[in-house]
Amino acid sequence: MNTVDVREAVTRAHHEEWARVVAALTRRFGDLDIAEEASAEAFATAVERWRADGVPPNPGAWLTTTANRKAIDRLRRESKRGDKHKEAQMLYDSTPSEPPGAIDDDRLRLIFICCHPALAMEARVALTLRMVGGLTVPEIARAFLVRGTTMEQRITRAKAKIKAARIPYRMPSAGDLPARVSGVLAVLFLVFNEGYLASGPDTDPVRQDLTTEAIRLTRLIRALLPQDGEVAGLLALMLLIEARRPARVSSSGELISLAEQDRGAWDAELIAEGHRLVRERLAAAAAGVAPGRYQVLAAINAVHTSARDIRDTDWSQVLALYDQLVRLDPSPIIALNRAIAVAELDGPEVALAIVDGLAEVLAGYHAYHATRADLLRRLGRSRQSRAAYDRAIELAGNTGETAYLTRRRDQLR
Amino acid sequence: MQYLLSVIHDQDSLATPEEDAAIDVFNDRLRTEGHWVFAGGLASPDTATVIDSRGGEALVTDGPFLESKEYLAGFWIIEAPDLDVALKLAVAGSKACNRRIEVRPFQ
């Protein structure tokens, strides 16, 4: 078999089977460390063996069997050396605990343990990308602009805490499930956002590897929890944002605002999929299921992606959705975004009054100053607008956004 | 598996009678549900004495080993099958004593 085909087969198996192999081994051996190492070894072996023997008919089963063997080898080696081992075996609850609509899948247990609330947010992100996403430690380190050794330590520390504090490998109880799912979604949305608006002075404005990975993992959770409205909502939200990516950065690396984007460049397939999900959630809402914040955010994005031209945007619909969102999540950032819709309906002066009311809480947030700058510009208050742009540029961490804000500022005379 | 639940004290006042009553209710729950190992409230850090015998002769110092606004006011040692159970109990314990609680596993 030729090398390219084998490499493709391994890559595909890695995408499709990594989480399944790690999850199965974690259950069998009760140890994330062993599961991770043995899975990685199994994939490395596949690269050699498949080249010599051909790709097996069931790559997933081959990988699981090989990984199991690697794990047993390691345990034998360690017991020969007399290592004290497996005293703190991870707790596995084998009683089927099926929350409504959930498939009993080890991958769900793996996701929930990686996103456990007792772990720091950055540890949850790193662990999820490593154990569920299968990204290598150097890849994750690059994605978050930290040194490889730092990321390695972060993951090692998280695994050690899981073991020492006995974080269990099981499905959350039905009562805990909504909160735990929302914790998982927060991790995935953070990964997505870091890709969508990458930070760092030398970083590309959009990190497609991260947005793609976040969408892939959210699809996996959607497959595992098909009845969960917020999972569907987050997936729709990511798809509708991702659909606009091709139009979001100019050839010179500057971010392009929604109003100026070439809507013909939007990804029609992703939009169609996102709209299907939003319609599904609207039907559920009509049947009396109250939507959560991701579903409302997805609906707002669907209003934008439904307009062929910025002038066709149904701003009253956008505002009505923001009003709904404010009731779910009364955060100042939501209030700021709501003000943008207010500006379209009631004019920039009304919007500016709302934005100015947020000064105290949002003074350190670049988007607050960028929004203010735009409203002041529309009101012809150029000097104040320029000052607000200055502040926004100072605070913005994204190279494409800095370029956009600088151009807007320099247009003011 | 045993966990230490440390009660972190960060205010001037000591426990109120209402808090004491709520702690009693929580203690009863720990006993009935089989989580109870041991618990106790501590006198203020001013009453502490530090001993250091590492140099051969015992060195006696007045006061806590760490001067801090936050200090250990009491603790529970509980038996729980895993961290999720321990955290749930800590949530109830924190409500009962109206203080922050650190949950830490024994080795």
Side-chain angles (χ1 to χ4, degrees):
Chain A
M1 227 182 152
N2 80 51
T3 320
V4 176
D5 286 347
V6 169
R7 203 180 302 134
E8 269 173 22
V10 173
T11 306
R12 198 176 323 119
H14 194 263
H15 261 145
E16 288 165 8
E17 307 291 348
W18 168 269
R20 213 189 298 268
V21 176
V22 175
L25 262 78
T26 306
R27 171 152 63 91
R28 172 145 182 211
F29 297 99
D31 188 307
L32 282 173
D33 232 351
I34 292 176
E36 179 196 354
E37 190 189 275
S39 303
E41 278 179 36
F43 278 91
T45 309
V47 177
E48 288 169 35
R49 292 292 302 278
W50 295 4
R51 198 172 294 153
D53 307 344
V55 177
N58 185 343
W62 188 97
L63 287 160
T64 308
T65 310
T66 307
N68 264 312
R69 212 174 291 138
K70 301 275 181 200
I72 290 165
D73 286 349
R74 169 173 160 180
L75 290 173
R76 282 216 185 101
R77 274 197 314 274
E78 285 178 354
S79 68
K80 250 185 216 142
R81 283 207 314 267
D83 292 6
K84 244 173 76 179
H85 187 71
K86 319 263 303 156
E87 271 178 48
Q89 243 214 14
M90 200 184 287
L91 210 74
Y92 174 74
D93 177 14
S94 57
T95 51
S97 59
E98 291 212 24
I103 300 166
D104 192 40
D105 188 302
D106 279 329
R107 286 175 298 177
L108 263 183
R109 292 189 174 84
L110 187 64
I111 291 163
F112 281 119
I113 206 168
C114 292
C115 296
H116 196 277
L119 301 172
M121 194 60 178
E122 52 181 21
R124 288 183 227 173
V125 168
L127 210 54
T128 303
L129 289 175
R130 176 71 193 124
M131 306 302 285
V132 186
L135 271 64
T136 63
V137 175
E139 279 169 343
I140 304 168
R142 263 200 306 283
F144 288 93
L145 309 170
V146 300
R147 287 199 324 220
T149 46
T150 310
M151 190 51 80
E152 182 78 60
Q153 275 167 6
R154 197 176 286 174
I155 292 173
T156 305
R157 206 181 301 132
K159 285 189 294 192
K161 177 168 182 182
I162 288 173
K163 204 168 178 173
R166 262 216 197 191
I167 295 181
Y169 192 55
R170 68 156 167 251
M171 285 294 293
S173 65
D176 290 342
L177 196 66
R180 293 291 303 276
V181 170
S182 116
V184 171
L185 299 183
V187 167
L188 297 177
F189 198 35
L190 193 146
V191 173
F192 183 85
N193 277 328
E194 184 46 39
Y196 173 70
L197 202 65
S199 46
D202 305 317
T203 313
D204 286 340
V206 179
R207 301 280 315 276
Q208 200 197 335
D209 49 345
L210 286 177
T211 56
T212 307
E213 185 59 22
I215 289 174
R216 193 173 76 82
L217 292 175
T218 309
R219 280 188 196 283
L220 170 63
I221 292 167
R222 161 94 178 139
L224 297 170
L225 296 168
Q227 307 295 327
D228 191 294
E230 279 294 84
V231 174
L234 180 61
L235 180 58
L237 174 61
M238 288 179 178
L239 293 172
L240 294 176
I241 297 174
E242 179 74 0
R244 304 198 295 262
R245 187 173 47 74
R248 212 167 144 261
V249 183
S250 77
S251 46
S252 60
E254 185 184 305
L255 280 196
I256 306 173
S257 70
L258 193 56
E260 293 178 306
Q261 283 177 16
D262 169 12
R263 298 187 175 216
W266 287 356
D267 188 320
E269 237 171 82
L270 292 182
I271 290 178
E273 191 187 353
H275 284 184
R276 259 198 312 280
L277 286 164
V278 170
R279 275 197 299 275
E280 178 193 311
R281 294 321 305 162
L282 285 175
V289 186
R293 59 187 288 264
Y294 292 123
Q295 293 167 71
V296 180
L297 280 167
I300 291 169
N301 275 273
V303 176
H304 288 302
T305 43
S306 298
R308 293 304 306 157
D309 187 287
I310 184 80
R311 284 166 302 199
D312 302 334
T313 308
D314 185 348
W315 288 106
S316 57
Q317 182 70 19
V318 173
L319 185 60
L321 287 163
Y322 268 115
D323 287 339
Q324 197 178 347
L325 194 55
V326 168
R327 285 194 291 274
L328 289 170
D329 178 3
S331 86
I333 292 178
I334 303 282
L336 179 70
N337 289 322
R338 181 183 167 277
I340 296 171
V342 170
E344 297 302 324
L345 287 167
D346 303 329
E349 195 146 17
V350 182
L352 185 63
I354 298 173
V355 171
D356 282 341
L358 302 166
E360 214 168 297
V361 266
L362 293 182
Y365 182 48
H366 74 274
Y368 162 77
H369 298 283
T371 306
R372 248 190 113 239
D374 185 57
L375 295 171
L376 288 163
R377 182 185 57 77
R378 284 152 74 175
L379 288 165
R381 291 157 64 176
S382 305
R383 197 178 48 81
Q384 288 166 295
S385 172
R386 206 175 299 116
Y389 275 121
D390 284 340
R391 190 80 187 106
I393 292 162
E394 240 171 80
L395 292 167
N398 180 282
T399 50
E401 197 163 28
T402 312
Y404 165 76
L405 293 168
T406 308
R407 177 172 65 82
R408 289 320 293 254
R409 181 194 60 192
D410 295 348
Q411 283 171 344
L412 291 168
R413 287 288 150 218
Chain B
M1 180 92 179
Q2 293 189 342
Y3 295 87
L4 173 68
L5 310 191
S6 306
V7 178
I8 304 161
H9 190 81
D10 54 6
Q11 52 211 48
D12 292 331
S13 58
L14 290 170
T16 64
E18 290 79 27
E19 285 162 7
D20 279 336
I23 291 167
D24 285 342
V25 173
F26 177 63
N27 286 343
D28 285 344
R29 175 187 164 188
L30 291 179
R31 287 196 189 90
T32 356
E33 293 178 5
H35 297 297
W36 174 272
V37 178
F38 190 70
L42 297 171
S44 89
D46 307 343
T47 62
T49 311
V50 177
I51 303 290
D52 186 355
S53 314
R54 289 173 303 181
E57 204 164 326
L59 198 66
V60 180
T61 325
D62 175 29
F65 76 97
L66 193 69
E67 287 289 352
S68 149
K69 274 197 181 132
E70 298 181 335
Y71 60 88
L72 188 67
F75 62 90
W76 282 278
I77 296 170
I78 58 158
E79 180 68 48
D82 60 58
L83 187 69
D84 283 355
V85 177
L87 292 179
K88 276 225 161 73
L89 291 168
V91 168
S94 169
K95 263 198 197 111
C97 68
N98 192 29
R99 301 225 173 0
R100 285 191 296 150
I101 286 184
E102 183 198 86
V103 181
R104 217 160 133 185
F106 279 83
Q107 257 187 346

